Amino acid sequence: TDALNSEDVFTFGNYYRNGLKHLKPGSKIAVDKGVTIFRAVGLFQLAFADLPIIQIKRDPRDTILSNFKAFFTTGQHYCYNIASIIEYLHFYLETIRIWQERFPESCYTLNYDNYVQEPVKNNHELAAWLGNGGNNYLFSFRSAERLVHTASANQLGEQVRTSSSGRAQAYAPYLKEWEAQIEPLYEYI
């Protein structure tokens, strides 16, 4: 982010903002949960002042399983190989750590397992951190009309499920050969 000039940042911000307007005209809130967006957090922080970054921490084994079982149409080629998912997860967590150090006031960490157990409590805490901007959206996201492009789009109208929390335990014997690579990921959660 240090090598960019203000014109580059301005151009990027306008390009992204215009793209969002085209996708969902009139929307005031955009949630981009794309699995590759984390690489550009620094650029987003420069382009959009005080942009909140919400990092979801989850058991690495559950994250690995979730990625491995998802069918992504493009861009996530690493998801079809356990070793590649683990390598990518290391890269993701190291990158997020950098952004948390660089932009601490803009980063919020939400524990996935805690969230699925107590979504209302966690929504209140997140809304308090966001200020007034997030209150309505956090409590009415199921009924919000919006464009959704995500592997979990079919879950948006459902209640928060606890079934994905700890799901990887059933697959522990199959992940055993990668234990040495997975174990360091636990320092992040």
Side-chain angles (χ1 to χ4, degrees), residues 1-9 42-43 46 102:
T1 58
D2 293 333
L4 295 172
N5 64 45
S6 59
E7 186 177 329
D8 293 334
V9 172
L43 182 56
L46 293 173
R102 186 114 188 221

Side-chain angles (χ1 to χ4, degrees), residues 119-152:
V120 173
K121 175 183 179 258
N122 282 276
N123 277 347
H124 279 290
E125 290 172 2
L126 179 56
W129 181 78
L130 287 168
N132 291 334
N135 282 324
N136 294 337
Y137 178 77
L138 289 173
F139 297 101
S140 62
F141 70 92
R142 283 184 193 86
S143 61
E145 288 186 28
R146 65 194 175 283
L147 186 62
V148 177
H149 292 289
T150 175
S152 58

Side-chain angles (χ1 to χ4, degrees), residues 70-77 79-80 149-151:
F71 178 71
F72 296 103
T73 55
T74 60
Q76 283 76 35
H77 59 280
C79 286
Y80 305 110
H149 292 289
T150 175

Side-chain angles (χ1 to χ4, degrees), residues 19-178:
L20 291 175
K21 285 179 188 174
H22 187 69
L23 288 174
K24 187 67 179 168
S27 180
K28 292 185 178 5
I29 295 176
V31 176
D32 194 333
K33 60 174 258 179
V35 295
T36 59
I37 195 85
F38 71 93
R39 296 181 290 185
V41 164
L43 182 56
F44 279 96
Q45 280 297 312
L46 293 173
F48 305 101
D50 301 323
L51 180 75
I53 303 163
I54 303 167
Q55 152 67 2
I56 309 289
K57 284 192 173 184
R58 186 177 185 189
D59 183 303
R61 286 176 178 86
D62 287 336
T63 301
I64 291 163
L65 177 64
S66 177
N67 277 270
F68 190 68
K69 72 178 189 69
F71 178 71
F72 296 103
T73 55
T74 60
Q76 283 76 35
H77 59 280
Y78 62 88
C79 286
Y80 305 110
N81 177 288
I82 298 291
S84 295
I85 295 170
I86 294 167
E87 184 179 328
Y88 196 80
L89 195 51
H90 277 281
F91 170 63
Y92 166 79
L93 292 169
E94 282 297 324
T95 304
I96 288 297
R97 183 183 296 187
I98 291 167
W99 298 137
Q100 288 171 329
E101 289 171 3
R102 186 114 188 221
F103 308 107
E105 67 288 341
S106 297
C107 296
Y108 183 87
T109 300
L110 184 70
N111 181 289
Y112 180 85
D113 296 317
N114 292 344
Y115 182 81
V116 299
Q117 293 300 321
E118 298 182 275
V120 173
K121 175 183 179 258
N122 282 276
N123 277 347
H124 279 290
E125 290 172 2
L126 179 56
W129 181 78
L130 287 168
N132 291 334
N135 282 324
N136 294 337
Y137 178 77
L138 289 173
F139 297 101
S140 62
F141 70 92
R142 283 184 193 86
S143 61
E145 288 186 28
R146 65 194 175 283
L147 186 62
V148 177
H149 292 289
T150 175
S152 58
N154 61 325
Q155 297 172 359
L156 290 176
E158 302 175 3
Q159 293 295 319
V160 174
R161 294 189 251 168
T162 58
S163 61
S164 59
S165 197
R167 182 180 284 175
Q169 290 175 0
Y171 298 89
Y174 305 103
L175 295 173
K176 199 156 191 69
E177 72 179 90
W178 294 285

